[in-house]
Amino acid sequence: VLEDALCSRNHALIIYFNDTQGKRQYQLTDLSSSNGTFVGGQKLAPNQQFWLTPGNIIRIGTQEWTFEV
């Protein structure tokens, strides 16, 4: 839960998958949020999926994080 007026109730989702070699891969999806989800300064389209890699900068509203595994 984010305390941010620019964050939707169900804003974005991060899930993980194990690839065929057993390595965990992470995927970020914007859930048709009102104000958007950004990765590296680029706005994701509604319902767009993005494969995360370490060092990606994620921004939702006024909050920003660096993705790390």
Side-chain angles (χ1 to χ4, degrees):
V1 176
L2 300 177
E3 296 292 330
D4 192 320
L6 297 176
C7 180
S8 300
R9 173 170 275 187
N10 294 303
H11 196 102
L13 175 69
I14 296 176
I15 58 174
Y16 70 88
F17 301 90
N18 290 319
D19 66 17
T20 57
Q21 298 172 337
K23 184 177 178 186
R24 195 166 279 186
Q25 303 290 325
Y26 294 85
Q27 188 178 70
L28 170 67
T29 304
D30 176 80
L31 300 177
S32 297
S33 63
S34 298
N35 295 302
T37 302
F38 296 78
V39 179
Q42 298 295 311
K43 185 177 181 179
L44 300 181
N47 298 306
Q48 180 180 352
Q49 298 169 336
F50 183 90
W51 290 102
L52 293 167
T53 57
N56 284 138
I57 305 296
I58 302 167
R59 182 169 55 88
I60 294 175
T62 60
Q63 307 204 23
E64 193 171 272
W65 307 273
T66 302
F67 178 74
E68 297 179 8
V69 180

